[in-house]
Every structure is written in structure tokens, then in C-alpha cells.
């Protein structure tokens, strides 16, 4: 099932609410359950039995005549609102490493993204021109952990996955190449859009067989597959969990394929007024509008 954090301009006082996305519309969980989880993090933290209960209620509600609210009438917040941590993986596709003139090491390049960077589908991300005119897109598969994972094997790693989402790991390249760590250059406000939904793992049979694209102002600039990851989702989870416990709700952004704007001749960056859509088959299309102030 697909879940999203949504708000209604017609009900501004209701704020952001968790909904199941069914038949192209939203069934708000607090409309069908008295004790509904308020966020995806709460839903995940309650465990598998709660997911089964919520999924059944959402499906039964539609069967019983509840009409989902059209998504066009709603606004998306980030697919994950309050994850314990966002762990980003760098240089996990050989083509991307090569085009950035960076070496793929034997161990994954890991860094964290700050929570202020999270943003929703169809939102506007803005940044000061004086800080960067070299802002790039990076389409990535986001993996959401479902239960505590500590020192798990690669064979068992996918059992710890709750679901998946789409991530655009927006990056200020001039800052990336001027500092020795990558957190700040990727953690401007709104630089980590996620969504439009979080999809439960049963809807993604193989995370290494997903088509990934980026379209910037109508031009396709990334067109690849998660099959080309240097390290699979399972291998990443096994590696990271070897040194730290991955808590439920943790988001792992698994790296971007080739086609970055920085490496093109001439270079292509996000501009004031640009619209960029990153998409992964089976999950959805995540659109961001850009403003350079």
C-alpha cells in the first residue's frame, strides 16, 4: 500500500495528516480509525500488526463506500516527516562516480542529511544565489527501515525494510568540492524532497530492478536502473548495521546514477524557475520547483 502525508487547503486547521493512497485518492487514517497513527513514523513504530490493521481498514473503507479525496485537491508534505536519521550513500553507481571524478572506495561513502532539508512533492525549494549557482539534481531510491537492524546479514537484510520512497538528493556542487564533508552542501532547506508516497515493501518485489529517471524542464537527464548500484540495498543495510543500530523509520538514500548536470558539457544546473521531476517505477514521480533568490 502507498501512504502519504497530506494537507487540504480547504481545511487549513487540520494540518498535515497521514493517508492511505487508494484508487488515485487519499483516505485519511484519522477519518476511519479512532486511534490512527498520525505520521508514517508512528505507523512504522507500531509494527507489522498495525500495518496490517491499517491496510485492512483503508481497503474496507473504500469497499464500504468511502470516497477517497482526489490528490489534486491536496498538498504533499515529505513522505517521511520525522525519521530517526537520514543516511545518504555517495558514489554508489560507477557512472556517477566517474562523471564527478571521484573514486568509489571499497566501503560505502556515508553521510547524514539534516531534517530541515526534507520537503514534499510539488513544493518549491529556494536557495540564495550568493551561496550557489551550481545546484544539481540526483535521483535516488529511498529505503525505509521497519524494525531495529543491528549486525544483520546481507541475506536477511531486506527483511528489515518497511518500504521505499523517491528521493531527490539536491546538491550545491561548488560547496561539495570546497569542503571535505558533504552534509552541508546537501542539507539546504528543502534540498531533500521525498515522495510523493512511501510504498510498502510488498509492492517492490526487487529493489535492484527499478527504472530511475530525472526530467529537468522537459529534458530527460538521468535514465538508469537500480540494477547498476555498486552495492545493493541489502548490502548497504548489512554494512551500515554492522556498526550502528538502524532504528525503525530510518531513511537510507542509496545513491544516484549517472547523468548529473555537473558532468555535462555544457553543465546543466537547476535555475530560478526550473522544475525537476525524479521518478522510480512502482513508487512515483517527485516534482520540485526551484527558486534562486
Amino acid at each position: 500500500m502507498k501512504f502519504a502525508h497530506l494537507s487540504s487547503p480547504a481545511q487549513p486547521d487540520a494540518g498535515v495528516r497521514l493517508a492511505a493512497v487508494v484508487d488515485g485518492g487519499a483516505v485519511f487514517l484519522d477519518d476511519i480509525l479512532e486511534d490512527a497513527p498520525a505520521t508514517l513514523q508512528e505507523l512504522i513504530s507500531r509494527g507489522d500488526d498495525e500495518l496490517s490493521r491499517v491496510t485492512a481498514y483503508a481497503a474496507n473503507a473504500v469497499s464500504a463506500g468511502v470516497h477517497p479525496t482526489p490528490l489534486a485537491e491536496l498538498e504533499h508534505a515529505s513522505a517521511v516527516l520525522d525519521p530517526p536519521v537520514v543516511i545518504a550513500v555517495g558514489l554508489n553507481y560507477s557512472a556517477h562516480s566517474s562523471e564527478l571524478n571521484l573514486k568509489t572506495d571499497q566501503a560505502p561513502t556515508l553521510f547524514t542529511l539534516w531534517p530541515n532539508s526534507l520537503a514534499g512533492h510539488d513544493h518549491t525549494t529556494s536557495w540564495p544565489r550568493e551561496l550557489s549557482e551550481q545546484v544539481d539534481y540526483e535521483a535516488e531510491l529511498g529505503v525505509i527501515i521497519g524494525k531495529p537492524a543491528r549486525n544483520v546479514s546481507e541475506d536477511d537484510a531486506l527483511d528489515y525494510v518497511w518500504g521505499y520512497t523517491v528521493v531527490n538528493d539536491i546538491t550545491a556542487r561548488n560547496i561539495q568540492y570546497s569542503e571535505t564533508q558533504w552534509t552541508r552542501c546537501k542539507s539546504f532547506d528543502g534540498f531533500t524532497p521525498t515522495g510523493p508516497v512511501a510504498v510498502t515493501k510488498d509492492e517492490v518485489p526487487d529493489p535492484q530492478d527499478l527504472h530511475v529517471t530525472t526530467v529537468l524542464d522537459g529534458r530527460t537527464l538521468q535514465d538508469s536502473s537500480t540494477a547498476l548500484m555498486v552495492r545493493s540495498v541489502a548490502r548497504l543495510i548489512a554494512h551500515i548495521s554492522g556498526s550502528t543500530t538502524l532504528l525503525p523509520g530510518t531513511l537510507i538514500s542509496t545513491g544516484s546514477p549517472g547523468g548529473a548536470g555537473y558532468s555535462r558539457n555544457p553543465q546543466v544546473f537547476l535555475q530560478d524557475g526550473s522544475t525537476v521531476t525524479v521518478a522510480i517505477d512502482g513508487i512515483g514521480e517527485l516534482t520540485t520547483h526551484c527558486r534562486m533568490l
Side-chain angles (χ1 to χ4, degrees), residues 100 127 132-137 171-174 176-177 216-217 219 221 260-264 266-276 290 292:
L100 295 180
W127 64 92
S132 184
E133 295 186 71
Q134 297 182 358
V135 175
D136 211 345
Y137 50 84
T171 306
R173 296 293 186 201
N174 60 310
Q176 181 180 26
Y177 283 94
L216 174 59
D217 295 330
R219 180 183 175 190
L221 296 176
Y262 180 87
S263 64
R264 293 178 175 273
Q267 292 179 320
V268 177
F269 294 118
L270 304 181
Q271 303 293 325
D272 184 30
S274 289
T275 296
V276 58
C290 303
M292 189 156 43

PDB file of all heavy atoms in Angstrom, residues 100 127 132-137 171-174 176-177 216-217 219 221 260-264 266-276 290 292:
ATOM      1  N   LEU A 100      31.872  12.541 -11.792  1.00  0.00           N
ATOM      2  CA  LEU A 100      32.248  13.548 -10.803  1.00  0.00           C
ATOM      3  C   LEU A 100      33.741  13.523 -10.491  1.00  0.00           C
ATOM      4  O   LEU A 100      34.217  14.292  -9.649  1.00  0.00           O
ATOM      5  CB  LEU A 100      31.460  13.335  -9.506  1.00  0.00           C
ATOM      6  CG  LEU A 100      29.941  13.521  -9.583  1.00  0.00           C
ATOM      7  CD1 LEU A 100      29.318  13.284  -8.215  1.00  0.00           C
ATOM      8  CD2 LEU A 100      29.567  14.890 -10.109  1.00  0.00           C
ATOM      9  N   TRP A 127      16.935  28.834  -2.639  1.00  0.00           N
ATOM     10  CA  TRP A 127      18.250  28.988  -2.021  1.00  0.00           C
ATOM     11  C   TRP A 127      18.870  30.313  -2.481  1.00  0.00           C
ATOM     12  O   TRP A 127      18.516  30.840  -3.544  1.00  0.00           O
ATOM     13  CB  TRP A 127      19.172  27.817  -2.395  1.00  0.00           C
ATOM     14  CG  TRP A 127      19.509  27.716  -3.855  1.00  0.00           C
ATOM     15  CD1 TRP A 127      20.584  28.263  -4.500  1.00  0.00           C
ATOM     16  CD2 TRP A 127      18.740  27.048  -4.864  1.00  0.00           C
ATOM     17  NE1 TRP A 127      20.545  27.977  -5.837  1.00  0.00           N
ATOM     18  CE2 TRP A 127      19.424  27.219  -6.087  1.00  0.00           C
ATOM     19  CE3 TRP A 127      17.550  26.314  -4.847  1.00  0.00           C
ATOM     20  CZ2 TRP A 127      18.936  26.704  -7.291  1.00  0.00           C
ATOM     21  CZ3 TRP A 127      17.070  25.791  -6.037  1.00  0.00           C
ATOM     22  CH2 TRP A 127      17.766  25.990  -7.239  1.00  0.00           C
ATOM     23  N   SER A 132      25.152  29.555  -3.974  1.00  0.00           N
ATOM     24  CA  SER A 132      25.416  28.591  -5.045  1.00  0.00           C
ATOM     25  C   SER A 132      24.597  28.890  -6.294  1.00  0.00           C
ATOM     26  O   SER A 132      23.386  29.123  -6.225  1.00  0.00           O
ATOM     27  CB  SER A 132      25.099  27.166  -4.575  1.00  0.00           C
ATOM     28  OG  SER A 132      25.448  26.245  -5.588  1.00  0.00           O
ATOM     29  N   GLU A 133      25.277  28.867  -7.422  1.00  0.00           N
ATOM     30  CA  GLU A 133      24.638  28.849  -8.735  1.00  0.00           C
ATOM     31  C   GLU A 133      24.956  27.536  -9.444  1.00  0.00           C
ATOM     32  O   GLU A 133      24.800  27.433 -10.657  1.00  0.00           O
ATOM     33  CB  GLU A 133      25.105  30.044  -9.571  1.00  0.00           C
ATOM     34  CG  GLU A 133      24.673  31.382  -9.006  1.00  0.00           C
ATOM     35  CD  GLU A 133      25.015  32.544  -9.905  1.00  0.00           C
ATOM     36  OE1 GLU A 133      24.374  32.682 -10.965  1.00  0.00           O
ATOM     37  OE2 GLU A 133      25.950  33.307  -9.552  1.00  0.00           O
ATOM     38  N   GLN A 134      25.404  26.549  -8.668  1.00  0.00           N
ATOM     39  CA  GLN A 134      25.743  25.229  -9.206  1.00  0.00           C
ATOM     40  C   GLN A 134      24.972  24.152  -8.444  1.00  0.00           C
ATOM     41  O   GLN A 134      25.534  23.233  -7.868  1.00  0.00           O
ATOM     42  CB  GLN A 134      27.247  24.975  -9.119  1.00  0.00           C
ATOM     43  CG  GLN A 134      28.089  25.929  -9.938  1.00  0.00           C
ATOM     44  CD  GLN A 134      29.566  25.597  -9.864  1.00  0.00           C
ATOM     45  OE1 GLN A 134      29.989  24.675  -9.177  1.00  0.00           O
ATOM     46  NE2 GLN A 134      30.381  26.357 -10.590  1.00  0.00           N
ATOM     47  N   VAL A 135      23.655  24.266  -8.436  1.00  0.00           N
ATOM     48  CA  VAL A 135      22.800  23.338  -7.709  1.00  0.00           C
ATOM     49  C   VAL A 135      22.323  22.241  -8.660  1.00  0.00           C
ATOM     50  O   VAL A 135      21.794  22.515  -9.735  1.00  0.00           O
ATOM     51  CB  VAL A 135      21.615  24.078  -7.059  1.00  0.00           C
ATOM     52  CG1 VAL A 135      20.648  23.090  -6.408  1.00  0.00           C
ATOM     53  CG2 VAL A 135      22.135  25.077  -6.021  1.00  0.00           C
ATOM     54  N   ASP A 136      22.542  21.005  -8.244  1.00  0.00           N
ATOM     55  CA  ASP A 136      22.357  19.837  -9.106  1.00  0.00           C
ATOM     56  C   ASP A 136      21.266  18.939  -8.536  1.00  0.00           C
ATOM     57  O   ASP A 136      20.923  18.996  -7.354  1.00  0.00           O
ATOM     58  CB  ASP A 136      23.690  19.064  -9.178  1.00  0.00           C
ATOM     59  CG  ASP A 136      23.910  18.351 -10.498  1.00  0.00           C
ATOM     60  OD1 ASP A 136      22.940  18.191 -11.273  1.00  0.00           O
ATOM     61  OD2 ASP A 136      25.062  17.936 -10.743  1.00  0.00           O
ATOM     62  N   TYR A 137      20.741  18.085  -9.393  1.00  0.00           N
ATOM     63  CA  TYR A 137      19.732  17.079  -9.045  1.00  0.00           C
ATOM     64  C   TYR A 137      20.418  15.723  -8.878  1.00  0.00           C
ATOM     65  O   TYR A 137      21.469  15.465  -9.452  1.00  0.00           O
ATOM     66  CB  TYR A 137      18.708  16.972 -10.186  1.00  0.00           C
ATOM     67  CG  TYR A 137      19.399  16.801 -11.521  1.00  0.00           C
ATOM     68  CD1 TYR A 137      19.803  15.554 -11.966  1.00  0.00           C
ATOM     69  CD2 TYR A 137      19.710  17.915 -12.314  1.00  0.00           C
ATOM     70  CE1 TYR A 137      20.494  15.396 -13.156  1.00  0.00           C
ATOM     71  CE2 TYR A 137      20.394  17.770 -13.512  1.00  0.00           C
ATOM     72  CZ  TYR A 137      20.784  16.509 -13.922  1.00  0.00           C
ATOM     73  OH  TYR A 137      21.475  16.364 -15.101  1.00  0.00           O
ATOM     74  N   THR A 171      22.019  19.032  -4.553  1.00  0.00           N
ATOM     75  CA  THR A 171      23.392  19.258  -4.097  1.00  0.00           C
ATOM     76  C   THR A 171      23.955  20.563  -4.643  1.00  0.00           C
ATOM     77  O   THR A 171      23.877  20.814  -5.850  1.00  0.00           O
ATOM     78  CB  THR A 171      24.302  18.108  -4.558  1.00  0.00           C
ATOM     79  OG1 THR A 171      23.757  16.859  -4.139  1.00  0.00           O
ATOM     80  CG2 THR A 171      25.707  18.256  -3.999  1.00  0.00           C
ATOM     81  N   ALA A 172      24.525  21.378  -3.767  1.00  0.00           N
ATOM     82  CA  ALA A 172      25.275  22.565  -4.194  1.00  0.00           C
ATOM     83  C   ALA A 172      26.700  22.126  -4.503  1.00  0.00           C
ATOM     84  O   ALA A 172      27.515  21.917  -3.602  1.00  0.00           O
ATOM     85  CB  ALA A 172      25.251  23.631  -3.105  1.00  0.00           C
ATOM     86  N   ARG A 173      27.018  21.959  -5.791  1.00  0.00           N
ATOM     87  CA  ARG A 173      28.304  21.357  -6.168  1.00  0.00           C
ATOM     88  C   ARG A 173      29.506  22.211  -5.767  1.00  0.00           C
ATOM     89  O   ARG A 173      30.551  21.680  -5.398  1.00  0.00           O
ATOM     90  CB  ARG A 173      28.333  21.119  -7.682  1.00  0.00           C
ATOM     91  CG  ARG A 173      27.324  20.126  -8.200  1.00  0.00           C
ATOM     92  CD  ARG A 173      27.603  18.717  -7.726  1.00  0.00           C
ATOM     93  NE  ARG A 173      26.685  17.769  -8.367  1.00  0.00           N
ATOM     94  CZ  ARG A 173      26.402  16.572  -7.894  1.00  0.00           C
ATOM     95  NH1 ARG A 173      26.948  16.152  -6.774  1.00  0.00           N
ATOM     96  NH2 ARG A 173      25.568  15.794  -8.522  1.00  0.00           N
ATOM     97  N   ASN A 174      29.382  23.530  -5.854  1.00  0.00           N
ATOM     98  CA  ASN A 174      30.536  24.357  -5.502  1.00  0.00           C
ATOM     99  C   ASN A 174      30.923  24.162  -4.037  1.00  0.00           C
ATOM    100  O   ASN A 174      32.106  24.125  -3.694  1.00  0.00           O
ATOM    101  CB  ASN A 174      30.244  25.838  -5.784  1.00  0.00           C
ATOM    102  CG  ASN A 174      29.059  26.368  -4.993  1.00  0.00           C
ATOM    103  OD1 ASN A 174      27.988  25.752  -4.991  1.00  0.00           O
ATOM    104  ND2 ASN A 174      29.221  27.507  -4.343  1.00  0.00           N
ATOM    105  N   GLN A 176      30.172  21.351  -2.316  1.00  0.00           N
ATOM    106  CA  GLN A 176      30.625  19.964  -2.208  1.00  0.00           C
ATOM    107  C   GLN A 176      32.120  19.843  -2.485  1.00  0.00           C
ATOM    108  O   GLN A 176      32.833  19.103  -1.794  1.00  0.00           O
ATOM    109  CB  GLN A 176      29.845  19.077  -3.169  1.00  0.00           C
ATOM    110  CG  GLN A 176      30.243  17.602  -3.109  1.00  0.00           C
ATOM    111  CD  GLN A 176      29.454  16.751  -4.070  1.00  0.00           C
ATOM    112  OE1 GLN A 176      28.974  17.230  -5.097  1.00  0.00           O
ATOM    113  NE2 GLN A 176      29.284  15.481  -3.740  1.00  0.00           N
ATOM    114  N   TYR A 177      32.591  20.572  -3.491  1.00  0.00           N
ATOM    115  CA  TYR A 177      34.000  20.457  -3.872  1.00  0.00           C
ATOM    116  C   TYR A 177      34.919  21.394  -3.086  1.00  0.00           C
ATOM    117  O   TYR A 177      36.130  21.342  -3.257  1.00  0.00           O
ATOM    118  CB  TYR A 177      34.148  20.709  -5.373  1.00  0.00           C
ATOM    119  CG  TYR A 177      33.730  19.522  -6.205  1.00  0.00           C
ATOM    120  CD1 TYR A 177      32.441  19.427  -6.699  1.00  0.00           C
ATOM    121  CD2 TYR A 177      34.614  18.476  -6.460  1.00  0.00           C
ATOM    122  CE1 TYR A 177      32.045  18.323  -7.446  1.00  0.00           C
ATOM    123  CE2 TYR A 177      34.236  17.373  -7.202  1.00  0.00           C
ATOM    124  CZ  TYR A 177      32.943  17.301  -7.697  1.00  0.00           C
ATOM    125  OH  TYR A 177      32.555  16.203  -8.424  1.00  0.00           O
ATOM    126  N   LEU A 216      14.366  17.415 -16.273  1.00  0.00           N
ATOM    127  CA  LEU A 216      14.535  18.817 -15.892  1.00  0.00           C
ATOM    128  C   LEU A 216      14.011  19.702 -17.008  1.00  0.00           C
ATOM    129  O   LEU A 216      14.544  19.675 -18.129  1.00  0.00           O
ATOM    130  CB  LEU A 216      16.015  19.121 -15.613  1.00  0.00           C
ATOM    131  CG  LEU A 216      16.373  20.588 -15.349  1.00  0.00           C
ATOM    132  CD1 LEU A 216      15.615  21.127 -14.138  1.00  0.00           C
ATOM    133  CD2 LEU A 216      17.877  20.746 -15.159  1.00  0.00           C
ATOM    134  N   ASP A 217      12.965  20.445 -16.711  1.00  0.00           N
ATOM    135  CA  ASP A 217      12.354  21.361 -17.682  1.00  0.00           C
ATOM    136  C   ASP A 217      12.088  20.657 -19.012  1.00  0.00           C
ATOM    137  O   ASP A 217      12.386  21.178 -20.091  1.00  0.00           O
ATOM    138  CB  ASP A 217      13.240  22.587 -17.886  1.00  0.00           C
ATOM    139  CG  ASP A 217      13.364  23.426 -16.619  1.00  0.00           C
ATOM    140  OD1 ASP A 217      12.411  23.442 -15.825  1.00  0.00           O
ATOM    141  OD2 ASP A 217      14.426  24.048 -16.418  1.00  0.00           O
ATOM    142  N   ARG A 219      13.452  17.919 -20.227  1.00  0.00           N
ATOM    143  CA  ARG A 219      14.599  17.212 -20.800  1.00  0.00           C
ATOM    144  C   ARG A 219      15.028  16.062 -19.886  1.00  0.00           C
ATOM    145  O   ARG A 219      15.302  16.289 -18.713  1.00  0.00           O
ATOM    146  CB  ARG A 219      15.754  18.190 -20.980  1.00  0.00           C
ATOM    147  CG  ARG A 219      17.026  17.596 -21.570  1.00  0.00           C
ATOM    148  CD  ARG A 219      18.118  18.652 -21.618  1.00  0.00           C
ATOM    149  NE  ARG A 219      19.397  18.109 -22.054  1.00  0.00           N
ATOM    150  CZ  ARG A 219      20.558  18.773 -22.009  1.00  0.00           C
ATOM    151  NH1 ARG A 219      20.582  20.023 -21.540  1.00  0.00           N
ATOM    152  NH2 ARG A 219      21.681  18.211 -22.424  1.00  0.00           N
ATOM    153  N   LEU A 221      17.475  13.753 -18.222  1.00  0.00           N
ATOM    154  CA  LEU A 221      18.905  13.858 -17.959  1.00  0.00           C
ATOM    155  C   LEU A 221      19.470  12.643 -17.218  1.00  0.00           C
ATOM    156  O   LEU A 221      20.670  12.404 -17.273  1.00  0.00           O
ATOM    157  CB  LEU A 221      19.191  15.133 -17.168  1.00  0.00           C
ATOM    158  CG  LEU A 221      18.868  16.440 -17.909  1.00  0.00           C
ATOM    159  CD1 LEU A 221      19.098  17.638 -17.007  1.00  0.00           C
ATOM    160  CD2 LEU A 221      19.695  16.561 -19.176  1.00  0.00           C
ATOM    161  N   ALA A 260      24.411  13.389 -13.967  1.00  0.00           N
ATOM    162  CA  ALA A 260      24.363  14.632 -13.193  1.00  0.00           C
ATOM    163  C   ALA A 260      24.673  15.834 -14.078  1.00  0.00           C
ATOM    164  O   ALA A 260      25.449  15.752 -15.031  1.00  0.00           O
ATOM    165  CB  ALA A 260      25.354  14.572 -12.033  1.00  0.00           C
ATOM    166  N   GLY A 261      24.067  16.957 -13.721  1.00  0.00           N
ATOM    167  CA  GLY A 261      24.279  18.168 -14.505  1.00  0.00           C
ATOM    168  C   GLY A 261      25.686  18.691 -14.444  1.00  0.00           C
ATOM    169  O   GLY A 261      26.190  19.290 -15.403  1.00  0.00           O
ATOM    170  N   TYR A 262      26.366  18.471 -13.324  1.00  0.00           N
ATOM    171  CA  TYR A 262      27.734  18.959 -13.140  1.00  0.00           C
ATOM    172  C   TYR A 262      28.680  18.408 -14.194  1.00  0.00           C
ATOM    173  O   TYR A 262      29.625  19.084 -14.618  1.00  0.00           O
ATOM    174  CB  TYR A 262      28.219  18.577 -11.734  1.00  0.00           C
ATOM    175  CG  TYR A 262      29.625  19.016 -11.410  1.00  0.00           C
ATOM    176  CD1 TYR A 262      29.865  20.285 -10.887  1.00  0.00           C
ATOM    177  CD2 TYR A 262      30.713  18.176 -11.633  1.00  0.00           C
ATOM    178  CE1 TYR A 262      31.156  20.698 -10.584  1.00  0.00           C
ATOM    179  CE2 TYR A 262      32.001  18.581 -11.335  1.00  0.00           C
ATOM    180  CZ  TYR A 262      32.218  19.837 -10.819  1.00  0.00           C
ATOM    181  OH  TYR A 262      33.494  20.241 -10.536  1.00  0.00           O
ATOM    182  N   SER A 263      28.433  17.174 -14.619  1.00  0.00           N
ATOM    183  CA  SER A 263      29.375  16.492 -15.508  1.00  0.00           C
ATOM    184  C   SER A 263      29.116  16.770 -16.984  1.00  0.00           C
ATOM    185  O   SER A 263      29.884  16.336 -17.843  1.00  0.00           O
ATOM    186  CB  SER A 263      29.294  14.988 -15.275  1.00  0.00           C
ATOM    187  OG  SER A 263      28.009  14.505 -15.622  1.00  0.00           O
ATOM    188  N   ARG A 264      28.041  17.474 -17.290  1.00  0.00           N
ATOM    189  CA  ARG A 264      27.684  17.681 -18.695  1.00  0.00           C
ATOM    190  C   ARG A 264      28.486  18.821 -19.318  1.00  0.00           C
ATOM    191  O   ARG A 264      29.007  19.689 -18.618  1.00  0.00           O
ATOM    192  CB  ARG A 264      26.175  17.958 -18.805  1.00  0.00           C
ATOM    193  CG  ARG A 264      25.351  16.728 -18.427  1.00  0.00           C
ATOM    194  CD  ARG A 264      23.858  16.983 -18.477  1.00  0.00           C
ATOM    195  NE  ARG A 264      23.159  15.738 -18.216  1.00  0.00           N
ATOM    196  CZ  ARG A 264      22.836  14.836 -19.145  1.00  0.00           C
ATOM    197  NH1 ARG A 264      23.128  15.081 -20.410  1.00  0.00           N
ATOM    198  NH2 ARG A 264      22.225  13.722 -18.827  1.00  0.00           N
ATOM    199  N   PRO A 266      27.746  21.563 -22.224  1.00  0.00           N
ATOM    200  CA  PRO A 266      27.915  22.450 -21.071  1.00  0.00           C
ATOM    201  C   PRO A 266      27.184  21.914 -19.833  1.00  0.00           C
ATOM    202  O   PRO A 266      26.276  21.090 -19.948  1.00  0.00           O
ATOM    203  CB  PRO A 266      27.297  23.755 -21.548  1.00  0.00           C
ATOM    204  CG  PRO A 266      26.237  23.320 -22.521  1.00  0.00           C
ATOM    205  CD  PRO A 266      26.828  22.131 -23.236  1.00  0.00           C
ATOM    206  N   GLN A 267      27.613  22.390 -18.669  1.00  0.00           N
ATOM    207  CA  GLN A 267      26.992  21.957 -17.428  1.00  0.00           C
ATOM    208  C   GLN A 267      25.532  22.409 -17.359  1.00  0.00           C
ATOM    209  O   GLN A 267      25.158  23.440 -17.929  1.00  0.00           O
ATOM    210  CB  GLN A 267      27.769  22.517 -16.230  1.00  0.00           C
ATOM    211  CG  GLN A 267      29.162  21.916 -16.081  1.00  0.00           C
ATOM    212  CD  GLN A 267      29.923  22.499 -14.916  1.00  0.00           C
ATOM    213  OE1 GLN A 267      29.855  23.701 -14.659  1.00  0.00           O
ATOM    214  NE2 GLN A 267      30.684  21.663 -14.213  1.00  0.00           N
ATOM    215  N   VAL A 268      24.740  21.606 -16.669  1.00  0.00           N
ATOM    216  CA  VAL A 268      23.320  21.892 -16.506  1.00  0.00           C
ATOM    217  C   VAL A 268      23.011  21.933 -15.017  1.00  0.00           C
ATOM    218  O   VAL A 268      23.208  20.933 -14.320  1.00  0.00           O
ATOM    219  CB  VAL A 268      22.445  20.821 -17.190  1.00  0.00           C
ATOM    220  CG1 VAL A 268      20.958  21.104 -16.947  1.00  0.00           C
ATOM    221  CG2 VAL A 268      22.744  20.754 -18.680  1.00  0.00           C
ATOM    222  N   PHE A 269      22.520  23.085 -14.544  1.00  0.00           N
ATOM    223  CA  PHE A 269      22.166  23.210 -13.136  1.00  0.00           C
ATOM    224  C   PHE A 269      20.719  23.665 -12.996  1.00  0.00           C
ATOM    225  O   PHE A 269      20.108  24.172 -13.949  1.00  0.00           O
ATOM    226  CB  PHE A 269      23.092  24.212 -12.435  1.00  0.00           C
ATOM    227  CG  PHE A 269      24.521  23.760 -12.355  1.00  0.00           C
ATOM    228  CD1 PHE A 269      25.533  24.479 -12.982  1.00  0.00           C
ATOM    229  CD2 PHE A 269      24.854  22.602 -11.650  1.00  0.00           C
ATOM    230  CE1 PHE A 269      26.851  24.057 -12.906  1.00  0.00           C
ATOM    231  CE2 PHE A 269      26.172  22.173 -11.576  1.00  0.00           C
ATOM    232  CZ  PHE A 269      27.171  22.892 -12.205  1.00  0.00           C
ATOM    233  N   LEU A 270      20.182  23.482 -11.797  1.00  0.00           N
ATOM    234  CA  LEU A 270      18.843  23.970 -11.502  1.00  0.00           C
ATOM    235  C   LEU A 270      18.868  25.495 -11.490  1.00  0.00           C
ATOM    236  O   LEU A 270      19.732  26.108 -10.862  1.00  0.00           O
ATOM    237  CB  LEU A 270      18.372  23.431 -10.148  1.00  0.00           C
ATOM    238  CG  LEU A 270      18.388  21.903  -9.985  1.00  0.00           C
ATOM    239  CD1 LEU A 270      17.878  21.516  -8.598  1.00  0.00           C
ATOM    240  CD2 LEU A 270      17.569  21.220 -11.066  1.00  0.00           C
ATOM    241  N   GLN A 271      17.899  26.080 -12.174  1.00  0.00           N
ATOM    242  CA  GLN A 271      17.836  27.528 -12.322  1.00  0.00           C
ATOM    243  C   GLN A 271      16.608  28.084 -11.612  1.00  0.00           C
ATOM    244  O   GLN A 271      15.695  27.348 -11.239  1.00  0.00           O
ATOM    245  CB  GLN A 271      17.782  27.903 -13.805  1.00  0.00           C
ATOM    246  CG  GLN A 271      18.929  27.377 -14.635  1.00  0.00           C
ATOM    247  CD  GLN A 271      20.260  28.011 -14.267  1.00  0.00           C
ATOM    248  OE1 GLN A 271      20.318  29.187 -13.913  1.00  0.00           O
ATOM    249  NE2 GLN A 271      21.325  27.228 -14.341  1.00  0.00           N
ATOM    250  N   ASP A 272      16.599  29.394 -11.438  1.00  0.00           N
ATOM    251  CA  ASP A 272      15.406  30.049 -10.925  1.00  0.00           C
ATOM    252  C   ASP A 272      14.254  29.778 -11.893  1.00  0.00           C
ATOM    253  O   ASP A 272      14.339  30.121 -13.075  1.00  0.00           O
ATOM    254  CB  ASP A 272      15.659  31.557 -10.803  1.00  0.00           C
ATOM    255  CG  ASP A 272      14.488  32.298 -10.184  1.00  0.00           C
ATOM    256  OD1 ASP A 272      13.772  31.704  -9.360  1.00  0.00           O
ATOM    257  OD2 ASP A 272      14.287  33.480 -10.523  1.00  0.00           O
ATOM    258  N   GLY A 273      13.203  29.140 -11.410  1.00  0.00           N
ATOM    259  CA  GLY A 273      12.064  28.802 -12.264  1.00  0.00           C
ATOM    260  C   GLY A 273      12.101  27.395 -12.824  1.00  0.00           C
ATOM    261  O   GLY A 273      11.140  26.971 -13.490  1.00  0.00           O
ATOM    262  N   SER A 274      13.162  26.641 -12.571  1.00  0.00           N
ATOM    263  CA  SER A 274      13.240  25.266 -13.069  1.00  0.00           C
ATOM    264  C   SER A 274      12.221  24.375 -12.361  1.00  0.00           C
ATOM    265  O   SER A 274      11.848  24.602 -11.205  1.00  0.00           O
ATOM    266  CB  SER A 274      14.636  24.684 -12.844  1.00  0.00           C
ATOM    267  OG  SER A 274      15.594  25.255 -13.696  1.00  0.00           O
ATOM    268  N   THR A 275      11.808  23.320 -13.079  1.00  0.00           N
ATOM    269  CA  THR A 275      11.000  22.249 -12.498  1.00  0.00           C
ATOM    270  C   THR A 275      11.703  20.938 -12.781  1.00  0.00           C
ATOM    271  O   THR A 275      12.024  20.632 -13.933  1.00  0.00           O
ATOM    272  CB  THR A 275       9.585  22.227 -13.095  1.00  0.00           C
ATOM    273  OG1 THR A 275       8.906  23.442 -12.754  1.00  0.00           O
ATOM    274  CG2 THR A 275       8.785  21.044 -12.552  1.00  0.00           C
ATOM    275  N   VAL A 276      11.964  20.166 -11.739  1.00  0.00           N
ATOM    276  CA  VAL A 276      12.681  18.900 -11.879  1.00  0.00           C
ATOM    277  C   VAL A 276      11.821  17.787 -11.301  1.00  0.00           C
ATOM    278  O   VAL A 276      11.260  17.923 -10.211  1.00  0.00           O
ATOM    279  CB  VAL A 276      14.070  18.959 -11.201  1.00  0.00           C
ATOM    280  CG1 VAL A 276      13.969  19.310  -9.732  1.00  0.00           C
ATOM    281  CG2 VAL A 276      14.822  17.649 -11.396  1.00  0.00           C
ATOM    282  N   CYS A 290      11.911  25.217  -8.419  1.00  0.00           N
ATOM    283  CA  CYS A 290      13.154  25.829  -7.930  1.00  0.00           C
ATOM    284  C   CYS A 290      13.087  27.358  -7.991  1.00  0.00           C
ATOM    285  O   CYS A 290      12.612  27.930  -8.975  1.00  0.00           O
ATOM    286  CB  CYS A 290      14.333  25.348  -8.771  1.00  0.00           C
ATOM    287  SG  CYS A 290      14.521  23.556  -8.815  1.00  0.00           S
ATOM    288  N   MET A 292      15.852  30.589  -7.156  1.00  0.00           N
ATOM    289  CA  MET A 292      17.167  31.068  -6.738  1.00  0.00           C
ATOM    290  C   MET A 292      16.990  32.545  -6.364  1.00  0.00           C
ATOM    291  O   MET A 292      16.625  33.375  -7.224  1.00  0.00           O
ATOM    292  CB  MET A 292      18.189  30.878  -7.869  1.00  0.00           C
ATOM    293  CG  MET A 292      19.602  31.140  -7.453  1.00  0.00           C
ATOM    294  SD  MET A 292      20.822  30.284  -8.516  1.00  0.00           S
ATOM    295  CE  MET A 292      20.186  30.562 -10.163  1.00  0.00           C
TER     296      MET A 292
END
